[in-house]
Amino acid sequence: EADIYQTPRYLVIGTGKKITLECSQTMGHDKMYWYQQDPGMELHLIHYSYGVNSTEKGDLSSESTVSRIRTEHFPLTLESARPSHTSQYLCASSGSKQVSGNIQYFGAGTRLSVL
Amino acid sequence: AQRVTQPEKLLSVFKGAPVELKCNYSYSGSPELFWYVQYSRQRLQLLLRHISRESIKGFTADLNKGETSFHLKKPFAQEEDSAMYYCALLNAGGTSYGKLTFGQGTILTVHP
């Protein structure tokens, strides 16, 4: 079934640890996005990619990094987690205008807590 | 720069009452707008988009270019409409094509 998957759903980790949030989609989409969202607050785009080996920083500055080696996979990495990174991270994907009308489809999110 | 403003952070209505969630935008080109909804413990999902001109779950939204607004309306609110609603504007220019700018979101609560 076509979907967008994020793992883990919840992560509690200590300060200074390196973490990778996984995002994979089987939608056949070329564009992928990472958003940061505090509970009940607005979404901030932190990274996006228009295809393999294409990554750009979003509107909100983030210490995280991303990679896009495969079309379906768009992991986000924090080299050294800090309490200020505590948030929910949402992954999304979209296809061409002709295919899906610029609609972004979202994963269930990863809720990260850094102690 | 494009911007989306949702002036109401919280909105409470009673079941059966009309509801309107406000959204204003600033964009120099021809806008393409969306409403996304996030129900409790569910993922963010598309509710409707203006180019479809359709009604979803009884909700409609009309693009008013003169007022630069895209308000979401429903004549008779239901308890299951309680959720977080986000208005979003598509960036249709150049290298940023496909990005969405989201508003701050409105939490709608429908009381029985």
Side-chain angles (χ1 to χ4, degrees), chain A residues 37-109:
Chain A
Q37 181 192 31
D38 292 322
M41 302 295 285
E42 61 191 294
L43 285 81
H44 295 284
L45 181 68
I46 53 175
H47 299 282
Y48 62 100
S49 168
Y50 285 163
V52 171
N53 294 325
S54 154
T55 61
E56 300 286 344
K57 289 192 177 295
D59 304 320
L60 179 70
S61 176
S62 173
E63 294 167 343
S64 58
T65 58
V66 292
S67 62
R68 189 91 182 273
I69 299 173
R70 301 199 319 265
T71 301
E72 63 273 17
H73 195 213
F74 192 41
L76 180 145
T77 298
L78 277 165
E79 289 293 332
S80 180
R82 293 208 300 268
S84 60
H85 296 139
T86 295
S87 189
Q88 174 159 259
Y89 293 83
L90 297 179
C91 183
S93 70
S94 67
S96 66
K97 182 175 183 178
Q98 292 75 19
V99 171
S100 58
N102 293 314
I103 298 169
Q104 288 190 18
Y105 295 86
F106 285 81

Side-chain angles (χ1 to χ4, degrees), chain B residues 55-109:
Chain B
S55 173
I56 304 292
K57 298 185 178 182
F59 284 98
T60 58
D62 292 319
L63 176 62
N64 186 322
K65 291 186 178 180
E67 296 182 358
T68 60
S69 68
F70 187 55
H71 302 328
L72 183 68
K73 301 177 184 179
K74 185 170 183 176
F76 307 103
Q78 303 299 315
E79 289 179 67
E80 55 265 31
D81 296 328
S82 297
M84 180 73 141
Y85 291 81
Y86 291 97
C87 183
L89 171 66
L90 177 74
N91 188 323
T95 59
S96 296
Y97 187 88
K99 288 170 56 180
L100 289 176
T101 299
F102 284 87
Q104 301 90 328
T106 298
I107 300 172
L108 173 65
T109 302

Side-chain angles (χ1 to χ4, degrees), chain B residues 11-90:
Chain B
L11 186 61
S12 290
V13 299
F14 285 100
K15 177 183 174 181
V19 63
E20 180 180 67
L21 290 84
K22 291 183 168 51
C23 172
N24 290 90
Y25 67 91
S26 65
Y27 186 60
S28 57
S30 183
E32 187 170 342
L33 288 142
F34 305 80
W35 276 99
Y36 280 81
V37 61
Q38 191 169 29
Y39 301 103
S40 178
R41 289 184 287 279
Q42 294 187 29
R43 63 177 72 183
L44 190 63
Q45 59 188 286
L46 177 73
L47 180 62
L48 55 80
R49 49 184 172 145
H50 91 271
I51 60 173
S52 298
R53 303 184 68 83
E54 56 193 348
S55 173
I56 304 292
K57 298 185 178 182
F59 284 98
T60 58
D62 292 319
L63 176 62
N64 186 322
K65 291 186 178 180
E67 296 182 358
T68 60
S69 68
F70 187 55
H71 302 328
L72 183 68
K73 301 177 184 179
K74 185 170 183 176
F76 307 103
Q78 303 299 315
E79 289 179 67
E80 55 265 31
D81 296 328
S82 297
M84 180 73 141
Y85 291 81
Y86 291 97
C87 183
L89 171 66
L90 177 74

